[in-house]
Amino acid sequence: MLDFALTEEQLEIQKTVREFAVKEVFPASWYYDEKDEIPLFVLKRAFELGIMSGDIPGKYGGKGYGLVESAIATEEIAAACPGLSTSIFVSSLGMEPILLCDNEPAKEKYLTRFAREFTPVCFATSEPVMGSDVAGIQCLARKDGDGYVLNGTKFWITNGGVADYMTVFATVDPKEAHAGIGAFLVEKGWQGVSTSPPIPKMGQRCSNTAGIHLKDVRVPAENVLAEPGKGFVLAMKTFSRTRPIIGAFAVGAARSAMEFAIDYAKKRRAFGSKLANFEAIQFKIAEMYQKVETSRLLVYKSAWEADSGIDPTLTASMAKFYATESAFEVANEALQIFGGFGYTKMFPLEKILRDVRLLMIYEGTSEVQRMIVAGYALQNYRPVMPALEDLPMIRGIDLDPEKSQAGKTAWRCRMCGHTHYGQEPPEACPLCFFPAKAFKKVWPLDTSAAAGNE
Ligand SMILES: Cc1cc2nc3c(=O)[nH]c(=O)nc-3n(C[C@H](O)[C@H](O)[C@H](O)COP(=O)(O)OP(=O)(O)OC[C@H]3O[C@@H](n4cnc5c(N)ncnc54)[C@H](O)[C@@H]3O)c2cc1C
């Protein structure tokens, strides 16, 4: 049976995180948004409550949450502040390559530490000159004994200025593209690592975004997460597991925007009536609600696939671009319902709108997600219906089993789709004038040939 209900444990996680989000995250977010600064104490509280880094497996001392649990928790934090949600959950992004790699000693050493101590971890593929094109990484990894020496600059790195550990992707030779990329776990305290002041941003100002400069940084063999040639795949596998979570950010933010809009519409009066009584407003609210629900379903589906051992790459991309674009539309419409007040800093809509705008950019832009989905649809998708040229669109034969079918044959023109009835195809198609060889027999069905469709 298909079951959409959350388990007792999931409901408990939702309750704990929701309370923390409403009572501790939401109130703290305004001062720090204004200041453009990360409130590290909120991240520490999230760690103490087991929310941050909850996905570390039990054998390393973590809670062993699946992606569904992470999505449930993320939605709640993002409902309070998308920026703090990014800050809290970026540690999972930074840790994911460690979880996915096969360097067991690094897992033992670092994951147990991350489960035990509050230690923000960041993830660095992007550079000033490239973001979408991960194969275009320029940061260099030079072989040095059994380890590597890193030189280069990473940019846009969430928590880059506050993280103690960094998962850095670098290449032995930029000309080798995908084939040159490796992944390395770098400690901030190592010689040659420096970080920039925060990059000033439009939204998500409670999250820290910084550049990281690596000058002759020596990485010992124990900290190589993926040897050159294996790092690109590791980064892509990481994104397949973290993009559903960006979708969950979007669900939380959109849900709050909708809730605030409903509240306002039920109280604000115009033309002698409450806004909620106007059909134009009701329709906006209906569409917001629909987008929140459909986004959540896609996010859960993708997270469930990951937890069930199914490759979530496709649904992760769909969840990301659908949910994040929906969240932007929901926030925008919610702001509209607030009229002039929506545009002020006295109500939460302008911040939600600024914050959700980023969701369509990081961890692969909406365009990149469309490239992934289109690539699958055009190359790997296996259709259920017969190919167009085999379609039995038979208007000229009565298929009632009581009627005789003997000698009834239909041919379809592969050029224009015209159907011809008769034992043989016509000499030429009466519509497009293509010759007989353009016709294919579509009835009776060719039961001998494998349909080729599943
Ligand atoms: C606040 C913030 C936090 C971030 N956090 C991190 C982080 O923690 N770690 C990290 O590694 N990175 C991080 N990033 C970087 C982010 O992932 C990149 O900004 C993003 O991937 C886009 O890369 P870009 O900015 O270089 O844009 P570009 O790659 O230069 O793209 C510019 C535009 O062109 C479009 N485009 C590019 N190629 C194509 C194509 N082939 N077809 C169609 N359109 C295309 C893009 O979609 C985009 O709209 C962060 C960014 C921001 C703004």
Side-chain angles (χ1 to χ4, degrees):
M1 191 181 81
L2 195 57
D3 187 357
F4 290 98
L6 302 188
T7 64
E8 285 296 315
E9 193 201 359
Q10 289 165 343
L11 287 169
E12 197 51 42
I13 292 169
Q14 188 181 55
K15 185 165 165 267
T16 308
V17 183
R18 187 170 283 178
E19 197 170 309
F20 167 65
V22 174
K23 293 190 178 153
E24 300 185 55
V25 177
F26 186 83
S29 64
W30 302 94
Y31 176 83
Y32 288 91
D33 174 69
E34 194 70 25
K35 245 185 131 187
D36 201 357
E37 191 181 305
I38 181 170
L40 275 175
F41 71 93
V42 178
L43 272 66
K44 279 194 188 126
R45 276 289 293 148
F47 175 77
E48 285 159 16
L49 290 169
I51 298 165
M52 202 170 155
S53 319
D55 44 357
I56 296 176
K59 69 172 179 168
Y60 304 113
K63 290 189 175 291
Y65 290 159
L67 229 51
V68 172
E69 286 75 28
S70 294
I72 291 165
T74 307
E75 176 181 330
E76 298 307 321
I77 307 275
C81 177
L84 274 168
S85 180
T86 294
S87 297
I88 289 170
F89 290 98
V90 88
S91 271
S92 298
L93 170 64
M95 270 187 274
E96 197 63 49
I98 310 173
L99 284 163
L100 291 175
C101 78
D102 47 20
N103 181 342
E104 193 52 42
K107 291 184 202 221
E108 285 284 344
K109 179 176 172 186
Y110 287 102
L111 294 177
T112 46
R113 187 178 297 172
F114 300 158
R116 205 175 51 234
E117 298 162 22
F118 171 66
T119 46
V121 187
C122 68
F123 172 96
T125 52
S126 303
E127 299 177 6
V129 294
M130 54 64 58
S132 304
D133 180 14
V134 176
I137 281 175
Q138 303 290 306
C139 181
L140 283 177
R142 176 171 48 81
K143 187 88 178 142
D144 180 53
D146 60 353
Y148 287 86
V149 172
L150 305 185
N151 275 291
T153 302
K154 292 294 172 182
F155 205 59
W156 306 117
I157 309 307
T158 301
N159 284 2
V162 297
D164 303 307
Y165 300 91
M166 309 159 167
T167 308
V168 175
F169 290 77
T171 177
V172 281
D173 180 359
K175 287 198 226 70
E176 284 195 34
H178 312 78
I181 296 170
F184 310 89
L185 181 55
V186 173
E187 298 194 11
K188 190 185 186 173
W190 286 353
Q191 196 162 8
V193 179
S194 56
T195 60
S196 78
I199 299 167
K201 308 190 293 290
M202 162 185 174
Q204 299 220 2
R205 290 154 60 90
C206 294
S207 73
N208 171 277
T209 314
I212 299 175
H213 190 58
L214 304 158
K215 177 146 179 48
D216 295 329
V217 176
R218 184 157 203 294
V219 182
E222 307 88 87
N223 284 44
V224 178
L225 303 177
E227 287 289 346
K230 294 185 174 166
F232 182 82
V233 173
L234 184 61
M236 294 306 123
K237 281 188 178 165
T238 298
F239 289 140
S240 295
R241 292 182 53 83
T242 53
R243 283 176 180 153
I245 299 302
I246 306 296
F249 290 176
V251 176
R255 190 188 82 196
S256 285
M258 176 188 79
E259 289 175 3
F260 296 141
I262 291 172
D263 190 14
Y264 193 79
K266 282 159 89 174
K267 290 169 185 161
R268 174 76 176 182
R269 299 182 76 87
F271 296 94
S273 179
K274 290 191 176 140
L275 291 182
N277 293 331
F278 300 131
E279 196 177 55
I281 302 292
Q282 292 168 1
F283 283 7
K284 282 187 199 300
I285 287 168
E287 283 171 22
M288 286 179 194
Y289 203 170
Q290 179 211 40
K291 283 174 182 155
V292 170
E293 285 285 321
T294 48
S295 297
R296 188 186 290 116
L297 285 173
L298 255 180
V299 166
Y300 280 5
K301 166 88 184 327
S302 187
W304 170 85
E305 282 184 358
D307 290 346
S308 310
I310 301 166
D311 178 3
T313 302
L314 187 68
T315 50
S317 283
M318 289 191 201
K320 184 177 187 284
F321 84 79
Y322 181 78
T324 59
E325 290 175 10
S326 294
F328 185 71
E329 289 159 13
V330 170
N332 199 29
E333 285 293 54
L335 190 149
Q336 190 70 14
I337 289 177
F338 273 72
F341 283 114
Y343 199 64
T344 69
K345 288 202 175 266
M346 283 94 78
F347 288 93
L349 275 308
E350 65 83 30
K351 176 174 175 296
I352 296 178
L353 193 65
R354 283 190 283 114
D355 286 354
V356 295
R357 186 61 186 84
L358 174 59
L359 306 181
M360 294 181 271
I361 297 173
Y362 62 12
E363 287 216 30
T365 60
S366 284
E367 289 80 5
V368 165
Q369 308 314 322
R370 282 179 168 81
M371 283 157 64
I372 292 168
V373 176
Y376 180 88
L378 293 169
Q379 286 157 30
N380 306 96
Y381 181 77
R382 303 183 68 162
V384 174
M385 281 296 179
L388 286 171
E389 61 189 32
D390 295 323
L391 281 182
M393 292 173 62
I394 307 152
R395 294 191 175 90
I397 305 174
D398 186 344
L399 298 183
D400 183 339
E402 306 257 308
K403 309 256 167 77
S404 165
Q405 305 295 321
K408 293 188 174 162
T409 310
W411 303 79
R412 183 170 171 81
C413 173
R414 281 179 290 165
M415 181 61 223
C416 72
H418 168 68
T419 309
H420 167 84
Y421 304 92
Q423 288 309 304
E424 299 297 330
E427 277 179 24
C429 176
L431 297 188
C432 70
F433 304 105
F434 267 55
K437 64 181 181 199
F439 279 84
K440 209 171 165 192
K441 193 192 275 185
V442 291
W443 193 263
L445 290 177
D446 181 1
T447 47
S448 65
N453 305 307
E454 291 168 13

